[in-house]
Structures are given as structure tokens and as C-alpha cells.
Amino acid sequence: MSARLLTRALCLAVLASVLCGADKDQVTAITRAYDQDIHPLIASLCIKCHGPDKQKGTVTFAPIDSGRACLDGREVWMKALTQLTTRDMPPEAEKQPSAEERARLLGWLKGLRHLATPDPGPATIRRLSRNEYLNTLRSLFGTELQLTVDLPNDSAGESFDNSLSPLLMEKYLLAADEVLDHLISSDRMQRHVLAGQMDATRMGVHEAGKPDGKERRFTQPAEVTAMIEIPVEGTYTIHVRAGAEQAGAEPVRLAVRFDTQVVGELKILARPKYPASYTCTAQLVPGKTRFSVIFMNPLSADAALATATSDAGKPDSGKARPPTANATAAPPQVRAVTIDAIDLIGPPAKSMTEVQRRLFVAQPSKEPGKELSKHDAARRILEPFIVRAFRRPSYDGEADALLKVFDLADSQDESFIDSVKLMLKAVLVSPQFLFRTPEDAPTAGDGVVRVGDHELATRLSYFLWSTMPDDELLQLAHQGTLHEPAILTAQIRRLIADPRARALVDTFVGSWLGLERFADAVVDDRKFPQMTPALREAMMDEVRAFISGLMRGDGSLLDLLDCNYTYMNGLTAKLYGNDEIKGATMQKVALSDGNRGGLIGMPAILMLTSRSNRTSPVKRGKWILETLFDASPPPPPPDVAPLDKQDTPENAHLTLRQKTERHRTDPACAACHRIMDPIGFGLENFDAIGRWRITDDTGGVVDAIGELPGKLHFTSPSELKRILMARKDEFVRMFTAKLLGYALGRHLGDYDQVVVDDLAEVAVKDRYQLDALIVRIATSYPFLNRRSIQ
């Protein structure tokens, strides 16, 4: 078999798998329409540049010469659909299809797309984004939290980076410590340890402690040591129970040390047979520290003998006299210390926090009739906690594995509260908490799984709230009724109406519009001194209030393109030239100026698409194309200098518009800039922070006149918006695709595009209501189903 035939056979095999769910009559209708209507149009409009003699952009329609052949050119057709929709093809200089012919081509291409087999997409395992993680912690513990740990500022959605690096894992460990230390007050530290259980160093030789060790006796330089976790800052009391065998003039002395700092010195006067407790205190800070008790003044046998001989030569009167021949030396003595036990007592414990009282639903007890072991009390705390933390009932073995962490801490003499804290930390750094994982579910014969109720609750809550399901959602999931259509729709609408739905505005809208970069957008404060942090935040609040209003049903999706209202407060009103609005609260305000209204008239968008000290028609035009119509232009050629770098002597006298038009004469730039630049210049009446102006920075009158392909003329922002509104179907489909991709947390596949077509069409019947679109996305086939896990 030749390579060409083999390739065609493989294409047909793939096509068969794609079309296996298509209705036979649909396929017949598509192929017949191609032979009768579409192929003649392709021959008339496209073959000249994409035929056997020339293949611009490596695209050719030459092999697609029949209805049957058209079925295996799916990739080419989907590219053609995009180009036709955005009117990038045919090129403006070439023969154009009539409106009826263009509609016929688009209808046929969409019909071809609808032959795809229903596929809900893969089961995804998604890490919580930074905002989702912080929101989930707040929901899990029911309190506001402000972390000092610097987590990466990522965003949820179809292009989300799902990786978990060692550095990020370390940050999660630090964050878990910070959260639990803030919310859970430790018991008063009371640690009792026998000296024989501690490690020791004698004459530089290490001796390990023994579990059944008791006292330790030292006659040589030595110390006992232990690594200790200090839970809270404060004054700690150290009791050392010891006795000594004295020798020489000074008593036995012990030093108490933490790390390198000696905090106390103890004189041991009691005898080993009758040991006593000696005490010192120390100011300690939280963290691990090396605790030591050191024998400071051991006395060797030779030193003791010298001392004894010297003492024997002294007269009772205390007056010195030479020793006589009959003088006898006292027997040598060895100075020794015996350390029995050490107690370390911390400062009084703080009272339990409100969160701690909710978490600690059980305490160990030895009360008759109410006996409860530490292990069993820890289990009672853990089991309800992991149901909420994992967003589902725990699987077999999960609780037991986490309880081993508690048992380990308890075996090392940690307090009950601190042992529970360590167990909860293990929950907060577990994959089940950090990742959204598919729920176990039965698989249908076609390899498709209906999403389980707990997984559905998680999908809903992270889609609309960017956090874990609340108690109501979890309860319905436990009951197995959340998937029922009436209940599901009611819950979706409840979540939309809840203030937590602002998370959808902050995350999805921020990512879609590029407003994640707004806080860091550089503005020349010498040219725009009014651009304060408060004004910058108010500009963002206008966008948030506008989208939130659409979610409440207060307007339609088309208002994003053009409308006669916006939201203002006292700060942003000045940008609109309105002196009547006062105060910090955002208010819905009617607009009388048709040049305002919609996203492209909002100061936040206009500032985001400007340079630091001037407007940028190119940035504004590019933003409208790729953000509102998903028509991203290709990157500029590498050998073409940016406009700001083209300050040549011959350009010095030119206005910004003239420089841009000269830039557009370069053939390598003309294809993209012929569309971007006119759109951007249509907004030149707005300065770099969104104020209306008549003259530009050079003092000349602003020229906002433009023409788009198809001889579409405009002279003002209001006329430009009318042209954009004529493409409302493209905008609604783009918005629907973006929102569905965000809801699913993945890139859209072939069948997802079919779903997008259907959702965009029904949006018209729903009067373009955003809340209705959200309900339909959350009840769509790919949202409620997924492929089985192989």
C-alpha cells in the first residue's frame, strides 16, 4: 500500500470513529449538499489560492472533490469555518461571496461539525488554583484567613497549569502550619522525660537513649540532649531532678541550654539517694530547638587526689605549716552527678478558639462510663473533617492512614491537641484536598460516566464560587438527589444569587478580559496624578458591578458590546465628567452619551489597553479582536521593529496615526493591522485612563474616523460599536465557549464545539441572559458527564 493510500485509510478510520454516532441521514444530507451547493462555491472562491497549483497557508481543497471526500477533511473545514466567521477569508481584494452564499457555507460547515460523536470529554484531575485554595481554607474552617506564605498567582480555567512542583509543595506545608497554628491553640506544654531516655554525650562519645532508660550518672564531662518543638512563645519552666556526689570546694553545677544559649545554672546540693528538683526559667520562641543539660564541673581522680593531699597538709588552726613525715593523704574522691528526670512546662495555654471548639468534637476521657482513648477521640474529630475537606465521603483506608500520623505524634509524647494538629496538617497537604479528583462511578457501555453527586457538587461550587461545596450542596449529594433536574436547577440559581458568586466575576472575567494584569499596569503618575490606588480599584469595581448585574438578570450579554448605562462611584464619575455621583458605593447610572456604554467605553479597559503615558490604537484594536471575537492576530514578524522603536528623522514630524499608517504599509504587517488599527483609532477620543478628549497629546484634533473590511465606515466610538454589534452572534458564541471551557477546566474538544453552537443558539431564546446561560452550561452534557477512567 502506498504512503498516500495508507494515509487516506488512516484518515477514514479516524473519520469512522468520529462519525459513528452520527445519523446516517445527516451524513447523506451533508455529502449531497457538498456536491450540489458547496463544491461549486469552493471552486469559485477558494481554489485559485488553495488548489492544485497554489496552497497558501499550506491549505488545499483540491483533494476534496466529492461529497464522500469532504468527510475526511475535518481539520481543513474547521479552519475554514473560523476564517469565514471572522471574515478573514476570502481576502478583501479577492472575489467575495454574497450574504446568502456566506450563510450557506457557514450553515453547511456547522452541520459538518455536528456530525461529531457525543463525547463529554476526559475525567480531569485539577489542582486548586491559588484563589480556590485560599477560598477553600476559609470555607473549610468557617473564618477569614490571611496567609503570609507567597503562593503562585495562577488562575483557574482551560489553560490552567496543573503541576505541583517541590517548591509549591513546600509552600503548601508552610501554609498548613500557618493556618493551624493560627486557629488551634496548643495545650500547655508539659513534657516529662527520664534522663536515661534522652541521648547523651560523654567525653565526646554519643550514647543513644533507651525507651526503658531511667537515670544517668556522670563523672566526666557530659550532657543529655533532646530535640524539642516549642509550640508557643512565652516563659518556660525547667525542673531538673538530680543528686550529686561532692568533691572539692565547689558544689556540682549543671547548665541548662537551648541551642547555643545557656539559660540557667543549677547548683546540685542533694545527695543521689535523696534527689531534689532544681528550677530555672527561659523565654522561648516557637520552633524546634536543641535542649541540653550539661555537667559543668566534673572533677577527675587526679584532680581530686591533688585536692585531697593539699587539704591534708593544712593545720586545723588555719595557719600554714610544712607537712611532717607522719602526715597522711585523704582518700581521693570523684565528683559525680546523677540526673533522674527533667520536666519542661510551658506558659499557660490560650483558651480554645471558636474554630477549635467546632473542630474538636471529642476529647480523650478516663471518666467511668465515658472512657474514650486518644486514638478514638482523634477518629471522631477526623471523620467529619475529611468529608468536607475531600468534598466527598472518605474511601476505605483513608481515615486509617491519617490516624497513623496522629499515633506517631502521640507516641512521641506530643499533646493530644498537637497530635491532632499534625493529623489535620496531613489532610491539608494530601492530594485529595489539593486536587479535585473524579468520583468513583459506574461506567456505561459507551465508556461515558454520569458525574456522581459529590463530584457534581464540587463542579458547581468551584465553577460559581471558586470554593468547596457548602453544607446544603453536600447534604443533597449525600442524599443522592442533587442530579435531579429540578433540584439541580434550583441549586444553580441559589449559587448564582449568593454573594460568593463574585468569585466567578473575579476569576473568569478577570482572566477573559485580561484584568488580572490591571493592578500592575504602569501609569505615568506625572501625566496622570489622579491615578491613585483608590481610583484604580474603583475602575475595577465598575467592571465587577457590571458583570454582577448581568448575573442577577439585570441586562443582557449584548450589553457588554453596547448599552446605555454603567456603574459609577464618586471617583470613577469624574472620569465620565459626571459631578453628581458621590460616595464610594457603585451605583447604576444611565448614560446619555452613545460613545460610552459597554466594555470598550469603560476606563479600566481603556487604561489596560494603553501605554503608560499615551493611548495605543494597536493594543486596543488587538484587544477587541482577540477578547471579544476570539480572532487573535498572529505575532508580528521578528524583523519588524515595534512602533515605539521607529522614531526615525523622517517620522519625527508625524502624528501617532500617521506613524501607524506608515507602519501598515509594510506588506508583512498589513494583513493584521488593516483591521486592528482602524478599530483602535475609533477609540482615540478616550485618553490613556478613559477620559473623553477632543484633542490628542500633540494638540491636534482627534481623528476617530475608520474603515473596516467590507467598506464599513465609522466616525466615532458609537458608530464603531454598531458595527461590532452586527457581529453579536460571533461574540455570544465566543463568550459561551470561554465560559464553558472555564466551567469544565479544560480545552474544548470537537463535540464541545457542538455544545457551544447549541448553547449560543438557545441564548437568543433566553434573551441573552447571563444567568440563563450559566444554568444551561451547568446542566449541559459535558458538565454532567465524563469519560470513564481507564
Side-chain angles (χ1 to χ4, degrees):
M1 184 181 292
S2 69
R4 181 179 177 85
L5 287 175
L6 177 61
T7 301
R8 188 165 181 80
L10 290 173
C11 288
L12 288 173
V14 171
L15 177 70
S17 68
V18 172
L19 300 181
C20 65
D23 183 271
K24 184 178 180 180
D25 291 340
Q26 289 178 299
V27 176
T28 301
I30 288 292
T31 57
R32 183 181 295 122
Y34 183 81
D35 288 330
Q36 295 176 355
D37 298 327
I38 305 304
H39 188 252
L41 285 175
I42 296 296
S44 171
L45 300 168
C46 308
I47 288 295
K48 176 183 175 182
C49 297
H50 303 286
D53 300 325
K54 187 188 296 185
Q55 296 89 38
K56 282 191 174 182
T58 71
V59 173
T60 178
F61 293 101
I64 310 174
D65 54 5
S66 69
R68 190 62 192 171
C70 80
L71 296 178
D72 64 355
R74 185 176 185 80
E75 185 176 344
V76 173
W77 292 126
M78 292 306 101
K79 188 172 184 179
L81 175 59
T82 301
Q83 298 287 324
L84 270 172
T85 301
T86 58
R87 297 177 181 267
D88 290 336
M89 288 292 164
E92 189 175 12
E94 300 295 336
K95 179 183 177 182
Q96 297 293 312
S98 67
E100 186 275 330
E101 289 172 335
R102 186 181 294 274
R104 197 190 321 161
L105 280 166
L106 288 173
W108 182 84
L109 288 168
K110 290 180 180 179
L112 179 64
R113 180 160 64 192
H114 279 241
L115 295 181
T117 302
D119 176 12
T124 56
I125 298 176
R126 271 212 42 240
R127 177 175 60 82
L128 300 183
S129 70
R130 179 181 186 273
N131 283 337
E132 289 172 342
Y133 174 78
L134 295 175
N135 289 342
T136 302
L137 287 176
R138 296 184 186 108
S139 300
L140 182 61
F141 292 106
T143 189
E144 282 298 315
L145 293 167
Q146 297 296 330
L147 290 183
T148 60
V149 177
D150 185 23
L151 295 170
N153 193 19
D154 48 21
S155 298
E158 57 180 317
S159 301
F160 179 68
D161 178 7
N162 214 28
S163 62
L164 180 57
S165 66
L167 178 60
L168 181 55
M169 189 67 223
E170 183 179 344
K171 289 181 180 291
Y172 282 136
L173 287 165
L174 294 172
D177 278 334
E178 184 177 342
V179 168
L180 294 173
D181 287 344
H182 175 69
L183 297 177
I184 298 177
S185 300
S186 296
D187 287 325
R188 182 174 192 174
M189 184 177 182
Q190 292 184 319
R191 186 161 182 180
H192 174 82
V193 61
L194 299 177
Q197 296 171 344
M198 300 172 67
D199 290 348
T201 302
R202 193 191 306 262
M203 294 290 288
V205 178
H206 176 75
E207 298 177 3
K210 300 178 180 180
D212 58 351
K214 296 183 180 179
E215 74 279 349
R216 282 192 183 272
R217 182 176 183 272
F218 298 125
T219 61
Q220 299 165 316
E223 64 178 303
V224 290
T225 64
M227 291 301 299
I228 294 176
E229 180 78 29
I230 301 301
V232 296
E233 183 175 0
T235 302
Y236 286 74
T237 302
I238 304 97
H239 299 293
V240 179
R241 183 174 176 80
E245 301 166 39
Q246 308 291 347
E250 63 176 343
V252 167
R253 289 183 292 121
L254 297 177
V256 177
R257 185 176 68 191
F258 288 91
D259 291 329
T260 59
Q261 182 180 4
V262 174
V263 298
E265 185 178 310
L266 309 174
K267 294 181 179 179
I268 310 302
L269 303 177
R271 298 174 61 183
K273 190 175 181 179
Y274 304 103
S277 184
Y278 299 88
T279 301
C280 68
T281 60
Q283 286 292 127
L284 302 177
V285 295
K288 288 188 179 296
T289 182
R290 186 178 184 84
F291 170 68
S292 307
V293 176
I294 307 166
F295 186 12
M296 293 181 62
N297 59 338
L299 192 64
S300 66
D302 291 340
L305 178 59
T307 301
T309 304
S310 173
D311 288 345
K314 295 179 181 178
D316 292 340
S317 64
K319 295 180 180 180
R321 68 179 184 180
T324 64
N326 295 328
T328 3
Q333 295 180 345
V334 176
R335 184 180 294 152
V337 65
T338 300
I339 303 175
D340 279 3
I342 298 171
D343 289 279
L344 181 61
I345 302 174
K350 295 179 181 178
S351 58
M352 273 194 174
T353 66
E354 179 59 34
V355 173
Q356 188 171 353
R357 278 191 285 270
R358 292 199 305 267
L359 287 174
F360 281 70
V361 295
Q363 292 284 346
S365 175
K366 294 182 180 178
E367 183 180 346
K370 298 182 180 179
E371 294 89 348
L372 188 64
S373 69
K374 292 181 180 179
H375 181 92
D376 290 342
R379 179 180 289 278
R380 292 188 185 182
I381 292 170
L382 175 66
E383 288 179 340
F385 183 77
I386 58 175
V387 170
R388 300 184 70 243
F390 294 171
R391 285 85 69 178
R392 55 162 175 75
S394 62
Y395 297 152
D396 289 344
E398 285 181 330
D400 291 335
L402 291 163
L403 280 165
K404 289 179 180 178
V405 178
F406 171 86
D407 292 338
L408 177 63
D410 184 55
S411 69
Q412 296 180 354
D413 294 328
E414 295 288 347
S415 70
F416 176 74
I417 289 179
D418 287 338
S419 297
V420 170
K421 277 176 68 175
L422 191 63
M423 177 180 68
L424 298 183
K425 178 181 177 180
V427 174
L428 296 185
V429 297
S430 67
Q432 297 94 320
F433 177 75
L434 296 176
F435 288 81
R436 289 167 49 189
T437 55
E439 186 180 7
D440 288 344
T443 304
D446 57 359
V448 173
V449 174
R450 181 179 69 80
V451 169
D453 278 31
H454 288 94
E455 186 178 350
L456 178 56
T458 297
R459 285 192 175 198
L460 282 175
S461 62
Y462 281 100
F463 171 32
L464 296 173
W465 289 351
S466 293
T467 189
M468 59 180 280
D470 65 357
D471 290 342
E472 185 170 337
L473 273 178
L474 282 176
Q475 184 61 34
L476 290 169
H478 294 335
Q479 295 169 357
T481 59
L482 180 58
H483 68 279
E484 296 176 7
I487 293 176
L488 177 58
T489 300
Q491 286 300 307
I492 297 168
R493 293 201 175 278
R494 179 179 72 86
L495 267 62
I496 292 172
D498 191 281
R500 282 169 286 189
R502 170 172 166 165
L504 179 64
V505 177
D506 290 337
T507 52
F508 166 69
V509 175
S511 176
W512 165 48
L513 298 181
L515 291 172
E516 296 170 324
R517 308 186 304 272
F518 184 76
D520 299 321
V522 178
V523 177
D524 187 340
D525 55 7
R526 291 171 299 180
K527 189 168 183 178
F528 303 105
Q530 62 272 72
M531 184 48 62
T532 62
L535 177 56
R536 188 184 292 252
E537 186 64 21
M539 291 162 76
M540 275 291 294
D541 284 342
E542 177 187 3
V543 182
R544 294 186 184 113
F546 194 95
I547 305 293
S548 297
L550 297 184
M551 289 178 63
R552 295 191 303 269
D554 189 9
S556 86
L557 283 174
L558 300 185
D559 292 349
L560 294 167
L561 290 179
D562 193 16
C563 62
N564 61 358
Y565 68 92
T566 191
Y567 291 79
M568 303 179 193
N569 68 4
L571 291 173
T572 58
K574 295 177 182 178
L575 300 177
Y576 283 88
N578 185 323
D579 296 325
E580 298 178 0
I581 303 299
K582 308 293 182 183
T585 303
M586 281 288 157
Q587 308 169 44
K588 188 175 181 180
V589 179
L591 296 172
S592 57
D593 182 0
N595 292 306
R596 292 286 191 178
L599 289 172
I600 64 174
M602 292 185 182
I605 302 300
L606 293 163
M607 187 183 110
L608 181 71
T609 54
S610 296
R611 300 288 183 185
S612 62
N613 60 353
R614 67 165 177 83
T615 60
S616 173
V618 175
K619 286 182 68 175
R620 287 178 174 177
K622 181 174 182 287
W623 184 91
I624 288 174
L625 286 176
E626 65 184 11
T627 304
L628 302 186
F629 298 101
D630 199 22
S632 301
D639 56 344
V640 177
L643 189 63
D644 288 347
K645 303 297 182 182
Q646 298 183 17
D647 292 330
T648 61
E650 60 181 349
N651 287 347
H653 65 286
L654 299 179
T655 65
L656 176 61
R657 183 172 189 127
Q658 290 169 334
K659 289 180 183 178
T660 305
E661 289 173 345
R662 171 169 289 188
H663 182 76
R664 197 161 66 236
T665 60
D666 188 325
C669 306
C672 298
H673 283 272
R674 71 187 181 91
I675 301 175
M676 285 193 303
D677 296 358
I679 292 175
F681 277 110
L683 302 177
E684 270 295 276
N685 281 115
F686 298 114
D687 71 6
I689 61 172
R691 296 174 300 183
W692 183 262
R693 63 181 182 172
I694 302 298
T695 58
D696 61 19
D697 293 339
T698 65
V701 176
V702 169
D703 181 3
I705 298 173
E707 179 180 342
L708 292 172
K711 298 182 179 180
L712 300 173
H713 299 272
F714 57 88
T715 61
S716 66
S718 61
E719 293 180 4
L720 172 61
K721 286 191 294 180
R722 279 198 290 272
I723 293 173
L724 298 180
M725 185 63 81
R727 299 175 62 178
K728 63 179 181 295
D729 291 342
E730 295 172 49
F731 169 74
V732 171
R733 191 188 187 284
M734 175 283 309
F735 184 89
T736 302
K738 293 286 185 183
L739 189 56
L740 179 63
Y742 174 83
L744 298 176
R746 59 171 175 79
H747 290 285
L748 300 183
D750 285 345
Y751 188 73
D752 295 324
Q753 298 296 341
V754 175
V755 175
V756 171
D757 285 342
D758 294 341
L759 290 171
E761 287 180 11
V762 81
V764 180
K765 300 175 184 177
D766 291 334
R767 296 177 292 111
Y768 301 104
Q769 295 294 300
L770 177 55
D771 57 333
L773 178 60
I774 291 172
V775 171
R776 292 191 183 277
I777 285 177
T779 55
S780 66
Y781 178 72
F783 196 88
L784 299 180
N785 298 272
R786 59 171 171 79
R787 290 186 214 139
S788 62
I789 303 173
Q790 301 298 327

